[in-house]
Amino acid sequence: MTLTKTTCPYCGVGCGVLAGADGTIKGDPDHPANFGRLCSKGSALGETIDLDGRLLHPIVHGQKANWDTALDLVAQKFSDAIAEHGPDSVAFYASGQLLTEDYYVANKLMKGFIGSANIDTNSRLCMASSVAGHKRAFGTDTVPGCYEDLEEADLIVLVGSNLAWCHPVLYQRIAAAKADRPQMKIVNIDPRRTATSELCDLHLQISPDSDIALFNGLLAHLSDHRKIDVNYTEAHVNELPEAIVASRLTSLSATGLTDSELRNFFELWADTEKVVTVYSQGVNQSDCGTDKVNSILNCHLATGRIGKPGMGPFSVTGQPNAMGGREVGGLSNMLVNHLELGNPDHRAAVQEFWQSPTICTAQGLKAVELFEACASGQIKALWVMSTNPAVSLPNADGVAAAIRNVPFVVTSDIMGKTDTNDLAHVCLPATGWGEKNGTVTNSERRVSRQRAFLPTAGEAKPDWEIICNVARRMGYGSAFAFKSPADVFAEYLALDAATTHFSRDLDLSQFAGLDYETLDPAQWPRNGKRFFADGQFYHPDGKAKMIPVVQPKLTKPRFELNTGRNRDQWHTMTRTGKSPRLGSHLAEPYLEIHPQDAMAINARIGDLIRVKGEYGQSILRALITPRIAPGQLFAPMHWTRQQVGAGTVNSLTEPTTDPISGQPALKSVSVAAEVFRAKWYGFLVSSQKLSPSTPYAAIARTKTGWQAEVAGRHRPEDWETEARSLIEKTDGEAAVFEDKQRNLVRIAFSNHGKIQALFFASTKPVLLSRTESISVIGREQSALPALAGRPPSDQPDSGAIVCSCFSVGRNTLLNALDAGASTVSDLGHATNAGTNCGSCKPELAALIAKAKTPMAAE
Ligand SMILES: Nc1nc2c(c(=O)[nH]1)N[C@H]1C(S)=C(S)[C@@H](COP(=O)(O)OP(=O)(O)OC[C@H]3O[C@@H](n4cnc5c(=O)[nH]c(N)nc54)[C@H](O)[C@@H]3O)O[C@H]1N2
Ligand SMILES: Nc1nc2c(c(=O)[nH]1)N[C@H]1C(S)=C(S)[C@@H](COP(=O)(O)OP(=O)(O)OC[C@H]3O[C@@H](n4cnc5c(=O)[nH]c(N)nc54)[C@H](O)[C@@H]3O)O[C@H]1N2
Ligand code: SF4
Ligand SMILES: [Mo]
């Protein structure tokens, strides 16, 4: 089997992958991001590349269409809207999951040819506050760090980052460095205890959105204890005194931390020269996100701890090409190649280089505003590329209605059924990972090739080509005559070369003249060169700027909902949802709630909770755990209307944004919570597709087909009819058992002697082994004892899967702990858990810790 060198399509770590057409996936030992490692999502890539669910041909008004019809219609509708209502009546909504080449042509078409800046991207929900913070401090959007800094640091501070689950390979690199140098300290700042906290020496469980108070407190401490680098700041930093004055205006009580916690942290930071502060969505996704970013940058600037090995602020990017999108100016307030939209010289240079009829002069709509403009009727034609806004934007139900309000909607996606495709007039099939060629840039500014190793799916086309085809039909043929992604990349480099006279951080010169096909992963500006090493920044006077920031007043709602990610799912699950292995980690949308709060609202293990926000509601399974602080709730963002019938998490979030960056505050929403009292609860496993329409339903893939958790408001007259109505096709024969004593109905459907589906229902949440029921599907009828809802005695139930690589369940691990295992590596020897990708190691550590100190309820 020949293996192709490519790059993982998930997170911003940007791991190198060796991939084969038979589904073989290995970490690339030569790639400098991962040196051969992969996490659980990367390792399972082979399970997500089949054609099941793929969009294989264009769809126009719900019907299969040919490319010419679809592209003609798209070009016509966009041209008509522009002619009638002007360039600002159309919009593109793009994604950090587009390749640089795709992104470049989309941005070129909108800004240079249509003449509007109404192209924004999901990076607005993700990196916008970091971009704005960097620009205020450095004069450019520069991420100065690189991964080796994490290994060289003596102190790593992880702020609003669940690195163990979201950047697992970076987390593993840090874990390995700490194992080598145990004196290295790690601090985690997060209102919630997460898998990331397990490795940390100190977890500061701060009040939500109190990060500015904390970092202002640190700045004041640095000043009080003469830890400011006076020589450095005099030479290289403006507004130090103003920032210090502002830092003292904030009371540290906002953080909710004890004096000793604060002192420990401040002293550790002040006394450690080599400190890297890594931050992510707990910082960015806030209505004061940009100020949070600057409160962190201020501390690094004040101490001169930037631009040197092993130290600096490090905003880690989320999506595989979030950084590439910033390079090509994908946001509505950027131009291209780190040039400024507001600078007439920059605009003129770009227009001349593009030979374009026009160039936008004003900023376009930012994501949340863009969908508000869809709702208000301003937007007449919308093109969504490689993102699923009907799920991922705040107020998702309102956004879905806004999209429905647009007279003409186009999507480009790899999958057929998504919540956004369901609203589109035209769906265009894009080639997916493994089929397309291009480049991505990771968190440390390393450009890597994605290379095709699979044949194109159906009639799909690469995104860059789809965009060029439309541009050509709109009359801009000569500017979009690219024949390959290599042509696009070459133009991107040429634009870089043509604009070197402007002061910019972006420098792609090292790529010029290299063979695109064999391009090795490389960092810009030039391998080895370190940003800000010489103390030079990009404001006109060459200095950096500290920004005086103050902690906004915090209100304390009864319940504050925090949202984020799970280890084994990627965003709206269109790809990871296909993998049974990944689904088995956490198979249902859930709500973390503190035991005290659960008691207060009378919620017990397995209950469903109805959460209500100002804009909508959602029903989620209670996960009662002291990981979350009292008064706070947490729910993952992943589940969509394709899997759940009772509201998505973004049905609850609000379109409140940071005033500077426009990034929505997705991490804190005031909500109400109460138990959803169903008349009955059910669990269903089947070899057939499921289509439940019960008030609560959550579908997931299993290794033997599908499963669904359901709940109903009315007790059905006939259980067999009810069960059949949940399954798309059941020709099986039913065996119904009613266990009146346990209040449990059990039905087995069999066909030709093989078990086809199992259904369990009760007046209480069904607490039985999911794993065991799943494994019975497709087996001989004689395996029916499983119907008792208890595992057969010779096959212990392995419990919820913790290690997805080897399918090791929680119960298997607890047994191993009982049998004497006491470390993560003991568990590895006994069960294999954690010995492949290592993503579950923090959870193994947590299980060990819990086995040692019994906890209340979880
Ligand atoms: N498994 C997985 N990995 C992913 C992704 C995925 O979907 N799945 N998506 C990728 C993308 S696009 C992104 S952007 C990254 C995101 O990566 P992260 O930002 O690490 O992930 P999140 O879970 O969104 O949020 C991080 C943490 O912020 C905390 N937080 C909430 N409010 C506050 C606050 O006020 N202050 C502080 N200090 N912390 C707070 C939350 O409790 C949460 O644990 O992950 C990337 N990696
Ligand atoms: N509540 C809450 N909401 C959030 C967040 C949060 O923390 N909390 N995080 C936010 C963040 S940081 C992000 S980045 C967003 C992510 O949110 P989205 O970008 O909406 O989520 P994805 O599921 O990654 O959507 C990618 C889409 O592109 C498709 N796709 C995959 N590959 C290709 C390709 O090569 N070409 C094309 N054309 N399509 C492709 C996929 O099938 C999928 O439909 O969510 C945001 N929303
Ligand atoms: S850490 Fe995992 S998801 Fe992120 S790039 Fe590496 S393998 Fe992919
Ligand atoms: Mo993101």
Side-chain angles (χ1 to χ4, degrees):
M1 186 81 235
T2 46
L3 295 179
T4 303
K5 270 181 187 282
T6 182
T7 315
C8 176
Y10 297 126
C11 85
V13 178
C15 296
V17 175
L18 300 174
D22 65 346
T24 304
I25 298 288
K26 290 185 183 154
D28 179 354
D30 300 329
H31 197 290
N34 56 318
F35 299 107
R37 296 177 176 94
L38 289 179
C39 76
S40 50
K41 293 181 299 303
S43 305
L45 272 166
E47 287 172 39
T48 62
I49 52 180
D50 60 47
L51 296 187
D52 183 34
R54 284 290 298 272
L55 181 61
L56 297 174
H57 42 71
I59 302 277
V60 174
H61 299 302
Q63 303 294 318
K64 185 174 170 180
N66 65 35
W67 271 108
D68 279 333
T69 313
L71 293 170
D72 285 344
L73 184 67
V74 174
Q76 191 63 50
K77 290 285 187 182
F78 271 77
S79 299
D80 288 352
I82 295 161
E84 203 174 325
H85 304 280
D88 289 334
S89 69
V90 300
F92 294 169
Y93 184 60
S95 164
Q97 294 167 72
L98 289 173
L99 305 182
T100 297
E101 294 74 6
D102 307 327
Y103 233 137
Y104 178 88
V105 290
N107 189 53
K108 179 179 181 184
L109 173 58
M110 185 52 89
K111 293 193 177 134
F113 291 79
I114 292 176
S116 166
N118 281 348
I119 171 170
D120 211 39
T121 102
N122 60 4
S123 277
R124 184 69 61 193
L125 317 178
C126 184
M127 305 315 305
S129 296
S130 279
V131 172
H134 289 151
K135 282 193 162 184
R136 289 204 298 184
F138 310 145
T140 49
D141 172 26
T142 310
V143 178
C146 56
Y147 295 163
E148 282 95 12
D149 291 336
L150 296 167
E151 283 151 345
E152 271 188 56
D154 294 319
L155 168 64
I156 297 177
V157 183
L158 300 165
V159 196
S161 154
N162 187 3
L163 208 74
W165 280 9
C166 296
H167 298 88
V169 166
L170 270 192
Y171 184 81
Q172 287 169 36
R173 284 181 65 165
I174 294 175
K178 190 169 163 64
D180 278 353
R181 284 190 300 123
Q183 68 275 23
M184 172 189 209
K185 293 276 184 282
I186 305 177
V187 177
N188 177 213
I189 300 171
D190 194 313
R192 195 169 64 106
R193 195 168 173 84
T194 65
T196 301
S197 321
E198 300 307 327
L199 181 72
C200 295
D201 301 281
L202 182 63
H203 171 219
L204 298 177
Q205 199 161 14
I206 56 164
S207 302
D209 274 342
S210 68
D211 304 76
I212 297 171
L214 182 66
F215 282 91
N216 271 354
L218 173 59
L219 183 60
H221 176 97
L222 293 169
S223 164
D224 292 344
H225 294 80
R226 301 179 165 277
K227 295 287 183 178
I228 306 276
D229 185 333
V230 179
N231 290 337
Y232 183 85
T233 48
E234 273 178 5
H236 304 300
V237 181
N238 287 322
E239 294 194 34
L240 168 76
E242 292 87 341
I244 291 176
V245 168
S247 76
R248 296 190 197 285
L249 297 176
T250 308
S251 156
L252 280 167
S253 64
T255 62
L257 300 173
T258 63
D259 289 346
S260 76
E261 283 175 319
L262 289 166
R263 199 172 341 103
N264 275 346
F265 173 59
F266 291 167
E267 286 174 1
L268 193 57
W269 210 100
D271 296 340
T272 315
E273 179 71 6
K274 287 192 169 179
V275 40
V276 177
T277 309
V278 174
Y279 58 95
S280 187
Q281 299 315 334
V283 170
N284 292 339
Q285 288 173 342
S286 158
D287 59 6
C288 56
T290 307
D291 282 356
K292 284 193 190 186
V293 168
N294 286 107
S295 72
I296 295 171
L297 301 184
N298 281 348
C299 295
H300 281 274
L301 288 172
T303 49
R305 292 178 187 166
I306 187 165
K308 298 170 201 137
M311 60 184 87
F314 200 158
S315 150
V316 280
T317 51
Q319 299 176 90
N321 201 29
M323 190 69 89
R326 283 146 82 172
E327 292 162 8
V328 301
L331 290 162
S332 64
N333 53 328
M334 296 174 141
L335 195 49
V336 60
N337 287 36
H338 284 216
L339 294 165
E340 293 292 326
L341 187 63
N343 183 321
D345 296 336
H346 289 192
R347 290 200 304 266
V350 172
Q351 186 175 3
E352 194 194 316
F353 178 85
W354 278 344
Q355 297 279 296
S356 66
T358 169
I359 189 98
C360 57
T361 51
Q363 292 193 5
L365 297 165
K366 301 188 169 101
V368 170
E369 299 166 344
L370 194 155
F371 288 95
E372 282 166 359
C374 291
S376 74
Q378 179 195 326
I379 300 299
K380 310 292 182 199
L382 170 71
W383 189 351
V384 176
M385 307 171 188
S386 200
T387 176
N388 196 358
V391 187
S392 54
L393 252 90
N395 179 22
D397 298 338
V399 167
I403 297 173
R404 216 174 278 119
N405 190 47
V406 177
F408 186 70
V409 178
V410 190
T411 56
S412 310
D413 208 291
I414 57 168
M415 302 305 288
K417 286 287 288 172
T418 74
D419 288 8
T420 308
N421 282 358
D422 284 352
L423 306 168
H425 302 99
V426 175
C427 300
L428 302 173
T431 43
W433 182 77
E435 300 154 21
K436 59 196 276 179
N437 286 295
T439 54
V440 290
T441 311
N442 74 1
S443 288
E444 58 166 359
R445 294 168 278 97
R446 191 178 297 281
V447 177
S448 298
R449 276 293 315 270
Q450 277 197 11
R451 293 187 176 88
F453 61 91
L454 293 169
T456 295
E459 296 171 25
K461 289 186 193 296
D463 286 288
W464 66 267
E465 195 179 322
I466 301 175
I467 299 160
C468 291
N469 282 337
V470 170
R472 238 171 268 145
R473 283 169 166 79
M474 290 176 78
Y476 311 128
S478 59
F480 292 86
F482 306 107
K483 294 251 162 3
S484 68
D487 286 354
V488 183
F489 193 73
E491 181 176 306
Y492 168 54
L493 297 185
L495 175 55
D496 180 66
T499 49
T500 45
H501 53 293
F502 297 121
S503 156
R504 278 181 310 142
D505 58 343
L506 186 73
D507 168 12
L508 302 167
S509 54
Q510 64 172 313
F511 297 103
L514 296 182
D515 177 23
Y516 190 73
E517 286 319 311
T518 56
L519 203 68
D520 282 327
Q523 263 176 306
W524 60 264
R526 259 178 289 115
N527 277 331
K529 183 185 168 203
R530 189 171 272 285
F531 273 117
F532 312 142
D534 53 2
Q536 286 305 298
F537 295 86
Y538 292 89
H539 285 299
D541 63 358
K543 288 187 173 187
K545 204 185 264 177
M546 285 176 63
I547 308 290
V549 290
V550 286
Q551 171 68 46
K553 244 194 156 43
L554 298 172
T555 50
K556 225 182 161 54
R558 172 64 185 94
F559 284 116
E560 183 153 12
L561 174 71
N562 173 4
T563 68
R565 293 163 167 77
N566 281 354
R567 190 189 76 195
D568 287 356
Q569 294 298 346
W570 179 260
H571 297 158
T572 71
M573 290 168 55
T574 62
R575 286 169 287 170
T576 45
K578 291 171 76 166
S579 161
R581 197 146 56 105
L582 295 178
S584 61
H585 179 232
L586 290 158
E588 197 185 8
Y590 60 87
L591 181 76
E592 290 182 4
I593 179 168
H594 190 272
Q596 265 172 31
D597 290 327
M599 203 155 19
I601 64 165
N602 234 334
R604 281 181 294 258
I605 295 178
D607 271 346
L608 292 169
I609 311 284
R610 189 205 294 275
V611 186
K612 282 189 190 158
E614 198 183 321
Y615 291 81
Q617 54 173 290
S618 183
I619 299 174
L620 304 162
R621 186 77 65 182
L623 199 167
I624 301 170
T625 168
R627 287 199 291 263
I628 189 97
Q632 294 172 39
L633 305 169
F634 174 86
M637 62 172 289
H638 306 294
W639 280 269
T640 75
R641 300 171 190 86
Q642 310 296 320
Q643 299 99 21
V644 296
T648 63
V649 163
N650 279 325
S651 305
L652 302 165
T653 51
E654 299 177 9
T656 316
T657 56
D658 178 277
I660 301 154
S661 68
Q663 180 156 352
L666 290 160
K667 293 274 183 273
S668 64
V669 202
S670 163
V671 295
E674 64 187 23
V675 175
F676 172 80
R677 292 267 171 244
K679 267 276 179 309
W680 62 276
Y681 300 82
F683 172 66
L684 184 67
V685 276
S686 167
S687 59
Q688 309 292 307
K689 274 196 179 163
L690 302 174
S691 54
S693 56
T694 40
Y696 176 79
I699 306 172
R701 286 305 297 261
T702 66
K703 58 180 191 232
T704 55
W706 284 265
Q707 72 164 63
E709 302 284 348
V710 293
R713 276 294 208 189
H714 305 285
R715 201 186 157 87
E717 305 238 311
D718 176 58
W719 283 110
E720 186 187 329
T721 315
E722 178 69 25
R724 283 192 195 274
S725 78
L726 303 172
I727 307 172
E728 233 161 59
K729 259 198 343 246
T730 35
D731 35 18
E733 228 174 88
V736 183
F737 306 83
E738 271 204 70
D739 180 341
K740 290 244 158 65
Q741 231 166 13
R742 288 171 66 202
N743 233 327
L744 187 68
V745 177
R746 299 169 262 156
I747 304 179
F749 293 95
S750 315
N751 207 354
H752 302 299
K754 296 261 164 60
I755 305 171
Q756 200 178 48
L758 293 178
F759 174 72
F760 303 87
S762 173
T763 48
K764 297 218 180 67
V766 181
L767 301 175
L768 56 76
S769 162
R770 269 58 174 160
T771 3
E772 206 52 43
S773 311
I774 291 166
S775 71
V776 167
I777 299 300
R779 285 177 35 195
E780 300 293 327
Q781 237 162 334
S782 56
L784 263 186
L787 199 52
R790 268 175 267 120
S793 53
D794 60 332
Q795 285 181 320
D797 174 24
S798 60
I801 298 299
V802 176
C803 167
S804 14
C805 295
F806 294 114
S807 294
V808 187
R810 190 183 158 94
N811 295 342
T812 308
L813 293 164
L814 292 176
N815 287 341
L817 289 173
D818 273 351
S822 66
T823 62
V824 171
S825 88
D826 287 352
L827 285 177
H829 285 304
T831 68
N832 276 337
T835 56
N836 181 41
C837 81
S839 300
C840 63
K841 282 183 178 173
E843 276 154 281
L844 299 180
L847 269 185
I848 295 167
K850 198 172 299 154
K852 287 181 187 149
T853 43
M855 256 190 224
E858 195 177 341

PDB file of all heavy atoms in Angstrom, residues 838-856:
ATOM      1  N   GLY A 838      -3.334   7.999  22.847  1.00  0.00           N
ATOM      2  CA  GLY A 838      -3.097   8.656  24.137  1.00  0.00           C
ATOM      3  C   GLY A 838      -4.108   9.736  24.496  1.00  0.00           C
ATOM      4  O   GLY A 838      -4.010  10.344  25.554  1.00  0.00           O
ATOM      5  N   SER A 839      -5.117   9.970  23.631  1.00  0.00           N
ATOM      6  CA  SER A 839      -6.080  11.045  23.916  1.00  0.00           C
ATOM      7  C   SER A 839      -6.830  10.807  25.219  1.00  0.00           C
ATOM      8  O   SER A 839      -7.334  11.739  25.823  1.00  0.00           O
ATOM      9  CB  SER A 839      -7.123  11.159  22.805  1.00  0.00           C
ATOM     10  OG  SER A 839      -6.523  11.430  21.584  1.00  0.00           O
ATOM     11  N   CYS A 840      -6.963   9.537  25.630  1.00  0.00           N
ATOM     12  CA  CYS A 840      -7.774   9.263  26.818  1.00  0.00           C
ATOM     13  C   CYS A 840      -6.944   9.292  28.093  1.00  0.00           C
ATOM     14  O   CYS A 840      -7.483   9.063  29.174  1.00  0.00           O
ATOM     15  CB  CYS A 840      -8.475   7.917  26.670  1.00  0.00           C
ATOM     16  SG  CYS A 840      -7.325   6.542  26.560  1.00  0.00           S
ATOM     17  N   LYS A 841      -5.645   9.543  27.991  1.00  0.00           N
ATOM     18  CA  LYS A 841      -4.815   9.483  29.206  1.00  0.00           C
ATOM     19  C   LYS A 841      -5.308  10.396  30.336  1.00  0.00           C
ATOM     20  O   LYS A 841      -5.315   9.977  31.492  1.00  0.00           O
ATOM     21  CB  LYS A 841      -3.352   9.780  28.872  1.00  0.00           C
ATOM     22  CG  LYS A 841      -2.655   8.582  28.248  1.00  0.00           C
ATOM     23  CD  LYS A 841      -1.196   8.902  28.008  1.00  0.00           C
ATOM     24  CE  LYS A 841      -0.465   7.706  27.427  1.00  0.00           C
ATOM     25  NZ  LYS A 841       0.896   8.083  27.047  1.00  0.00           N
ATOM     26  N   PRO A 842      -5.755  11.642  30.003  1.00  0.00           N
ATOM     27  CA  PRO A 842      -6.276  12.466  31.101  1.00  0.00           C
ATOM     28  C   PRO A 842      -7.485  11.821  31.783  1.00  0.00           C
ATOM     29  O   PRO A 842      -7.645  11.912  32.994  1.00  0.00           O
ATOM     30  CB  PRO A 842      -6.680  13.770  30.416  1.00  0.00           C
ATOM     31  CG  PRO A 842      -5.950  13.791  29.130  1.00  0.00           C
ATOM     32  CD  PRO A 842      -5.688  12.372  28.740  1.00  0.00           C
ATOM     33  N   GLU A 843      -8.335  11.141  30.986  1.00  0.00           N
ATOM     34  CA  GLU A 843      -9.486  10.492  31.610  1.00  0.00           C
ATOM     35  C   GLU A 843      -9.068   9.284  32.430  1.00  0.00           C
ATOM     36  O   GLU A 843      -9.638   8.988  33.474  1.00  0.00           O
ATOM     37  CB  GLU A 843     -10.489  10.078  30.538  1.00  0.00           C
ATOM     38  CG  GLU A 843     -11.387  11.232  30.166  1.00  0.00           C
ATOM     39  CD  GLU A 843     -11.914  11.095  28.773  1.00  0.00           C
ATOM     40  OE1 GLU A 843     -11.150  11.412  27.826  1.00  0.00           O
ATOM     41  OE2 GLU A 843     -13.057  10.648  28.613  1.00  0.00           O
ATOM     42  N   LEU A 844      -8.027   8.578  31.982  1.00  0.00           N
ATOM     43  CA  LEU A 844      -7.505   7.457  32.777  1.00  0.00           C
ATOM     44  C   LEU A 844      -6.984   7.992  34.106  1.00  0.00           C
ATOM     45  O   LEU A 844      -7.264   7.439  35.169  1.00  0.00           O
ATOM     46  CB  LEU A 844      -6.381   6.734  32.012  1.00  0.00           C
ATOM     47  CG  LEU A 844      -6.773   6.113  30.661  1.00  0.00           C
ATOM     48  CD1 LEU A 844      -5.566   5.423  30.023  1.00  0.00           C
ATOM     49  CD2 LEU A 844      -7.909   5.115  30.828  1.00  0.00           C
ATOM     50  N   ALA A 845      -6.262   9.123  34.026  1.00  0.00           N
ATOM     51  CA  ALA A 845      -5.729   9.710  35.259  1.00  0.00           C
ATOM     52  C   ALA A 845      -6.871  10.111  36.194  1.00  0.00           C
ATOM     53  O   ALA A 845      -6.790   9.913  37.410  1.00  0.00           O
ATOM     54  CB  ALA A 845      -4.856  10.921  34.923  1.00  0.00           C
ATOM     55  N   ALA A 846      -7.948  10.631  35.601  1.00  0.00           N
ATOM     56  CA  ALA A 846      -9.074  11.054  36.431  1.00  0.00           C
ATOM     57  C   ALA A 846      -9.733   9.849  37.095  1.00  0.00           C
ATOM     58  O   ALA A 846     -10.106   9.901  38.261  1.00  0.00           O
ATOM     59  CB  ALA A 846     -10.088  11.815  35.581  1.00  0.00           C
ATOM     60  N   LEU A 847      -9.841   8.741  36.358  1.00  0.00           N
ATOM     61  CA  LEU A 847     -10.426   7.518  36.939  1.00  0.00           C
ATOM     62  C   LEU A 847      -9.583   7.031  38.108  1.00  0.00           C
ATOM     63  O   LEU A 847     -10.105   6.612  39.144  1.00  0.00           O
ATOM     64  CB  LEU A 847     -10.480   6.409  35.877  1.00  0.00           C
ATOM     65  CG  LEU A 847     -11.725   6.272  35.025  1.00  0.00           C
ATOM     66  CD1 LEU A 847     -11.602   5.037  34.139  1.00  0.00           C
ATOM     67  CD2 LEU A 847     -12.974   6.136  35.890  1.00  0.00           C
ATOM     68  N   ILE A 848      -8.264   7.105  37.926  1.00  0.00           N
ATOM     69  CA  ILE A 848      -7.364   6.664  39.002  1.00  0.00           C
ATOM     70  C   ILE A 848      -7.547   7.557  40.224  1.00  0.00           C
ATOM     71  O   ILE A 848      -7.693   7.071  41.341  1.00  0.00           O
ATOM     72  CB  ILE A 848      -5.889   6.699  38.523  1.00  0.00           C
ATOM     73  CG1 ILE A 848      -5.702   5.671  37.409  1.00  0.00           C
ATOM     74  CG2 ILE A 848      -4.931   6.442  39.679  1.00  0.00           C
ATOM     75  CD1 ILE A 848      -4.410   5.809  36.645  1.00  0.00           C
ATOM     76  N   ALA A 849      -7.573   8.878  39.961  1.00  0.00           N
ATOM     77  CA  ALA A 849      -7.725   9.817  41.075  1.00  0.00           C
ATOM     78  C   ALA A 849      -9.037   9.545  41.805  1.00  0.00           C
ATOM     79  O   ALA A 849      -9.100   9.565  43.032  1.00  0.00           O
ATOM     80  CB  ALA A 849      -7.682  11.247  40.567  1.00  0.00           C
ATOM     81  N   LYS A 850     -10.087   9.283  41.014  1.00  0.00           N
ATOM     82  CA  LYS A 850     -11.394   9.065  41.632  1.00  0.00           C
ATOM     83  C   LYS A 850     -11.409   7.765  42.421  1.00  0.00           C
ATOM     84  O   LYS A 850     -11.991   7.680  43.497  1.00  0.00           O
ATOM     85  CB  LYS A 850     -12.478   9.043  40.547  1.00  0.00           C
ATOM     86  CG  LYS A 850     -13.832   9.247  41.150  1.00  0.00           C
ATOM     87  CD  LYS A 850     -14.895   9.421  40.096  1.00  0.00           C
ATOM     88  CE  LYS A 850     -14.669  10.606  39.214  1.00  0.00           C
ATOM     89  NZ  LYS A 850     -15.296  10.433  37.915  1.00  0.00           N
ATOM     90  N   ALA A 851     -10.729   6.744  41.892  1.00  0.00           N
ATOM     91  CA  ALA A 851     -10.686   5.472  42.604  1.00  0.00           C
ATOM     92  C   ALA A 851     -10.012   5.665  43.952  1.00  0.00           C
ATOM     93  O   ALA A 851     -10.326   4.998  44.928  1.00  0.00           O
ATOM     94  CB  ALA A 851      -9.942   4.440  41.770  1.00  0.00           C
ATOM     95  N   LYS A 852      -9.061   6.618  44.001  1.00  0.00           N
ATOM     96  CA  LYS A 852      -8.350   6.864  45.264  1.00  0.00           C
ATOM     97  C   LYS A 852      -9.196   7.696  46.224  1.00  0.00           C
ATOM     98  O   LYS A 852      -9.200   7.451  47.403  1.00  0.00           O
ATOM     99  CB  LYS A 852      -7.025   7.577  44.980  1.00  0.00           C
ATOM    100  CG  LYS A 852      -6.003   6.633  44.347  1.00  0.00           C
ATOM    101  CD  LYS A 852      -4.683   7.349  44.104  1.00  0.00           C
ATOM    102  CE  LYS A 852      -3.728   6.463  43.313  1.00  0.00           C
ATOM    103  NZ  LYS A 852      -2.832   7.224  42.461  1.00  0.00           N
ATOM    104  N   THR A 853      -9.900   8.717  45.695  1.00  0.00           N
ATOM    105  CA  THR A 853     -10.738   9.557  46.558  1.00  0.00           C
ATOM    106  C   THR A 853     -12.185   9.475  46.088  1.00  0.00           C
ATOM    107  O   THR A 853     -12.551  10.139  45.122  1.00  0.00           O
ATOM    108  CB  THR A 853     -10.317  11.039  46.463  1.00  0.00           C
ATOM    109  OG1 THR A 853     -10.095  11.322  45.076  1.00  0.00           O
ATOM    110  CG2 THR A 853      -9.102  11.374  47.256  1.00  0.00           C
ATOM    111  N   PRO A 854     -12.988   8.681  46.738  1.00  0.00           N
ATOM    112  CA  PRO A 854     -14.362   8.510  46.265  1.00  0.00           C
ATOM    113  C   PRO A 854     -15.104   9.849  46.241  1.00  0.00           C
ATOM    114  O   PRO A 854     -14.924  10.667  47.135  1.00  0.00           O
ATOM    115  CB  PRO A 854     -14.978   7.582  47.324  1.00  0.00           C
ATOM    116  CG  PRO A 854     -13.860   7.112  48.176  1.00  0.00           C
ATOM    117  CD  PRO A 854     -12.705   8.003  47.989  1.00  0.00           C
ATOM    118  N   MET A 855     -15.898  10.062  45.197  1.00  0.00           N
ATOM    119  CA  MET A 855     -16.602  11.323  45.027  1.00  0.00           C
ATOM    120  C   MET A 855     -18.094  11.139  45.265  1.00  0.00           C
ATOM    121  O   MET A 855     -18.585  10.020  45.295  1.00  0.00           O
ATOM    122  CB  MET A 855     -16.413  11.819  43.607  1.00  0.00           C
ATOM    123  CG  MET A 855     -15.429  12.955  43.506  1.00  0.00           C
ATOM    124  SD  MET A 855     -15.534  13.605  41.865  1.00  0.00           S
ATOM    125  CE  MET A 855     -13.832  13.798  41.454  1.00  0.00           C
ATOM    126  N   ALA A 856     -18.788  12.244  45.377  1.00  0.00           N
ATOM    127  CA  ALA A 856     -20.214  12.206  45.689  1.00  0.00           C
ATOM    128  C   ALA A 856     -21.021  11.449  44.639  1.00  0.00           C
ATOM    129  O   ALA A 856     -21.344  10.285  44.805  1.00  0.00           O
ATOM    130  CB  ALA A 856     -20.739  13.624  45.847  1.00  0.00           C
TER     131      ALA A 856
END
